[in-house]
Amino acid sequence: MEKELKDIRTHHLKVIEDKLIELITHKNRILAVQSEEIGEFKKNFDEFKPLTQIIQKTTRECLSDFQSKLDEADRQAIQQFHQQQDQLEYHASRLNQQQNQIQSIQELFEQQTRSRLQIAEMQKAKDRMLIELQQTKEELEQKKFLKQQLMNNFKLSQQQQIQLQQELKDTENQKRYWNNLLQEAKGSIRVYCRVRPNSQEDMLLLNGECTLVLRVPERFLKSTNCQKESSFNFEHIFSQEADQQEIYNELSDLVQNVVDGHNVCIFAYGQTGSGKTYTMQGDDFHKGVIPRAVEQIFKERQGMLELGWQMNIRVGFQEIYNEQSRDLITNQKCDEVKLLDIKDIVEVADHFNTAKKNRQVADTLSNEASSRSHFIFQLNLQGHLGDKQINSTLNLIDLAGSERANVAKTEGDRFTETKAINKSLSALGDVFNALYTKQQHVPFRNSKLTFSLYKYMEGSSKTLMMVNISSRSEDFQQTLASLRFAEKVKSCSIKK
Ligand code: ADP
Ligand code: MG
């Protein structure tokens, strides 16, 4: 065994030894080849050495040349860079400008869009209007046709109208003539009596339209010397049932007289509370003589304007207190009131309100001055047509209360007032009397009241005295005094 192992080992060692020898031989061969190659290389290297030097030199030159070219290129590139930067800035500013322009164009565009919308709306409206226009055109055509027809009819009726107008003028003249004749027949001074409504009426008896019987109440029988009953006659007596329209119906012909060119005075006489102001002015629901007369005159004027007359209306408001005259529009003392030009009824009402207010102020200052002062409303009418002329005045007078007959029983301010009222009312009576008895001298100057009215009471003037009385038995004495005054006036007629 041991021998076997030894043989194997020896065999292995022999193999390794052979291999080693083989390897060393191989190595040597390689070394020989290498040294041969190195020699070859060395020979070649020496041969190429000058060439390498040339290449090196050329390379250096090339490098230096390349460097200078590179520097030049660098310089140019920087220069170009600066130029481009400048251009870029220039373009940036242009861009900015263009951006601004674009913005304004955008705004313009938006505006245009809005305008386009508006235009579209307007177009729609225009279309609608065109349709309406078309309709209107058609209506117009129809109307033209109708107008033509009417014109033909109008021409025909114009001739008839001229004829009718002539007839109307003739009728107007005749109306004036007959109205005046009627006034003459009724007398230039008329006296009407109005009884103020009252539940207790035992002392007054109405006998028809013109006669009134006053029965003296028991308690006055002893104190008065009158007979138990006295009878009075007037042109017209209005019972307490008579309304404002009924009163006006009986005096509207006098107002017509003013339009016909005559002066007219209408007086309301009576004790305080007997209905003078109610008769003359009335209230909102029961218009009195003044507003009704103004309405009538405006209506008549309209008719005359249509006949070709030129007409002017003026009004004035006056108060006479303690023999002093005051213009109720200017609220100043005056000798003669200033007449104001009037366009329409509303203007008269406005002035009337001013006058009332000014009177009220006085009222509070002097304690119910209205019952102790005279109020005059004047309406002047001026007109002409060709050679025909009108200048007439309507005077509507709300007199002071007639009750203060006894001066002896008053004193102080009351004394002065009472004296002034007595003076003016008796002056009024005297004027009527003088006119009635056709005296040479009519005492107009005896009081402010008669002096203010003298122009309107003379000549062809007409006068109406509306005596307002109370039917209450405690007012018996005042009622009797008023009836006596009225009776005195009754028979007068204006001097011709
Ligand atoms: P005067 O002006 O005479 O002092 P008023 O006209 O102020 O009297 O009348 C006194 C009161 O009697 C007022 O309230 C008025 O409205 C009333 N009155 C007068 N007359 C009438 C009448 N006929 N119908 C109804 N009320 C009347
Ligand atoms: Mg009064």
Side-chain angles (χ1 to χ4, degrees):
M1 184 69 180
E2 210 176 291
K3 198 198 168 262
E4 264 175 44
L5 277 170
K6 205 175 166 181
D7 285 347
I8 295 166
R9 204 166 72 186
T10 312
H11 177 71
H12 280 295
L13 273 172
K14 182 75 178 130
V15 171
I16 291 166
E17 202 179 18
D18 289 347
K19 277 281 171 192
L20 263 173
I21 292 165
E22 197 182 329
L23 275 170
I24 287 166
T25 320
H26 190 66
K27 180 195 156 192
N28 283 343
R29 263 198 316 265
I30 290 170
L31 275 174
V33 172
Q34 275 183 343
S35 71
E36 232 176 84
E37 281 178 350
I38 287 167
E40 187 78 12
F41 181 75
K42 212 171 174 184
K43 204 175 113 195
N44 285 345
F45 185 76
D46 288 341
E47 272 176 21
F48 279 106
K49 204 170 179 184
L51 198 69
T52 318
Q53 277 169 346
I54 292 169
I55 290 168
Q56 267 179 347
K57 193 183 161 215
T58 316
T59 312
R60 262 198 306 275
E61 279 171 4
C62 278
L63 268 173
S64 133
D65 189 35
F66 183 69
Q67 185 65 45
S68 66
K69 279 185 179 161
L70 209 67
D71 287 349
E72 177 60 22
D74 237 18
R75 197 184 53 75
Q76 280 182 358
I78 289 170
Q79 203 178 3
Q80 269 184 6
F81 175 74
H82 283 307
Q83 277 176 354
Q84 282 173 353
Q85 217 171 16
D86 286 350
Q87 277 183 358
L88 212 66
E89 272 169 26
Y90 168 73
H91 284 305
S93 79
R94 284 288 310 272
L95 203 70
N96 243 348
Q97 281 178 356
Q98 282 172 353
Q99 239 168 0
N100 288 344
Q101 280 178 353
I102 288 171
Q103 209 166 345
S104 29
I105 288 170
Q106 221 164 8
E107 281 166 15
L108 263 173
F109 181 72
E110 280 167 15
Q111 263 186 9
Q112 272 182 353
T113 313
R114 281 197 297 273
S115 305
R116 261 201 295 276
L117 286 174
Q118 282 177 351
I119 288 169
E121 285 293 313
M122 281 160 78
Q123 186 69 35
K124 278 186 205 163
K126 187 187 140 195
D127 289 346
R128 281 198 300 273
M129 279 166 77
L130 275 174
I131 294 171
E132 281 172 24
L133 197 71
Q134 188 55 34
Q135 286 174 347
T136 318
K137 262 186 192 168
E138 284 164 15
E139 282 172 21
L140 205 70
E141 282 303 318
Q142 278 180 353
K143 281 184 182 159
K144 262 188 194 165
F145 177 69
L146 273 174
K147 190 184 147 197
Q148 192 52 44
Q149 278 187 333
L150 281 171
M151 284 288 278
N152 294 342
N153 291 346
F154 180 69
K155 271 181 197 154
L156 263 177
S157 63
Q158 231 174 2
Q159 289 159 349
Q160 288 173 342
Q161 202 191 346
I162 292 169
Q163 209 178 336
L164 278 171
Q165 231 162 7
Q166 191 49 48
E167 281 172 22
L168 192 68
K169 271 186 194 167
D170 294 345
T171 320
E172 280 289 324
N173 287 340
Q174 279 184 2
K175 193 175 125 192
R176 267 159 224 247
Y177 174 75
W178 287 112
N179 192 44
N180 205 40
L181 266 190
L182 182 76
Q183 300 312 311
E184 305 270 302
K186 283 190 175 181
S188 294
I189 299 180
R190 275 189 241 173
V191 181
Y192 289 171
C193 179
R194 183 180 195 180
V195 183
R196 184 196 179 291
N198 198 292
S199 53
Q200 156 203 13
E201 203 204 340
D202 48 348
M203 71 167 183
L204 285 176
L205 289 176
L206 257 60
N207 233 340
E209 256 187 17
C210 303
T211 312
L212 175 142
V213 177
L214 177 70
R215 190 181 289 151
V216 183
E218 286 291 323
R219 59 195 161 114
F220 289 103
L221 264 178
K222 282 180 200 150
S223 58
T224 49
N225 292 329
C226 353
Q227 26 181 328
K228 224 177 163 191
E229 282 186 357
S230 356
S231 168
F232 297 89
N233 284 299
F234 301 112
E235 277 90 333
H236 207 105
I237 297 166
F238 299 97
S239 74
Q240 52 174 295
E241 279 87 32
D243 64 14
Q244 301 282 64
Q245 182 62 51
E246 221 175 309
I247 309 287
Y248 194 72
N249 288 345
E250 286 303 318
L251 50 82
S252 65
D253 56 335
L254 274 178
V255 177
Q256 180 59 45
N257 247 256
V258 180
V259 183
D260 296 345
H262 303 278
N263 293 321
V264 170
C265 293
I266 300 178
F267 293 89
Y269 181 96
Q271 72 177 107
T272 300
S274 60
K276 297 183 296 297
T277 305
Y278 182 84
T279 301
M280 289 310 231
Q281 294 175 24
D283 55 39
D284 291 344
F285 306 103
H286 312 89
K287 283 185 283 179
V289 173
I290 297 177
R292 284 170 197 266
V294 171
E295 273 171 28
Q296 185 182 339
I297 286 176
F298 269 89
K299 213 170 128 196
E300 291 291 335
R301 182 183 75 150
Q302 189 54 39
M304 289 177 81
L305 289 178
E306 280 161 22
L307 287 176
W309 281 78
Q310 292 281 316
M311 290 289 236
N312 275 330
I313 294 181
R314 294 182 303 155
V315 297
F317 302 83
Q318 185 183 2
E319 184 178 56
I320 298 173
Y321 173 69
N322 272 353
E323 285 301 290
Q324 271 182 344
S325 166
R326 198 157 60 94
D327 187 321
L328 286 171
I329 297 298
T330 60
N331 210 11
Q332 303 283 324
K333 282 181 183 159
C334 65
D335 283 330
E336 212 170 310
V337 280
K338 190 176 176 301
L339 295 176
L340 308 155
D341 285 315
I342 295 296
K343 284 194 303 288
D344 50 34
I345 291 189
V346 180
E347 233 182 322
V348 183
D350 287 347
H351 287 312
F352 210 125
N353 285 335
T354 311
K356 268 191 203 162
K357 267 186 215 138
N358 285 335
R359 226 180 162 205
Q360 271 161 13
V361 174
D363 268 8
T364 48
L365 292 178
S366 66
N367 185 23
E368 292 172 14
S370 70
S371 69
R372 294 192 293 282
S373 64
H374 309 296
F375 169 75
I376 305 174
F377 168 74
Q378 275 188 345
L379 187 151
N380 172 258
L381 195 66
Q382 281 182 359
H384 62 88
L385 172 68
D387 56 354
K388 283 186 228 162
Q389 286 212 341
I390 284 177
N391 185 1
S392 48
T393 304
L394 171 68
N395 298 274
L396 300 172
I397 308 114
D398 186 352
L399 289 169
S402 59
E403 63 276 11
R404 291 172 190 82
N406 197 344
V407 181
K409 285 185 185 164
T410 58
E411 52 185 41
D413 286 349
R414 277 292 162 93
F415 176 76
T416 323
E417 278 172 8
T418 309
K419 233 173 80 173
I421 296 166
N422 281 350
K423 180 179 168 184
S424 54
L425 291 181
S426 65
L428 187 63
D430 293 345
V431 163
F432 282 131
N433 190 46
L435 289 170
Y436 165 61
T437 52
K438 297 183 181 162
Q439 286 173 19
Q440 278 289 307
H441 173 73
V442 182
F444 286 115
R445 288 184 173 272
N446 281 359
S447 79
K448 196 86 193 170
L449 174 71
T450 47
F451 188 62
S452 294
L453 296 169
Y454 86 89
K455 280 188 268 177
Y456 315 111
M457 293 176 78
E458 282 190 317
S460 69
S461 307
K462 322 274 172 197
T463 302
L464 168 69
M465 178 65 72
M466 175 69 82
V467 179
N468 296 79
I469 55 169
S470 156
S471 60
R472 297 191 317 178
S473 56
E474 57 260 50
D475 292 327
F476 162 74
Q477 274 173 322
Q478 293 307 331
T479 300
L480 181 64
S482 293
L483 290 170
R484 281 185 177 156
F485 178 86
E487 196 167 49
K488 210 174 127 193
V489 173
K490 190 189 70 181
S491 49
C492 300
S493 70
I494 297 283
K495 177 173 72 173
K496 294 275 158 58

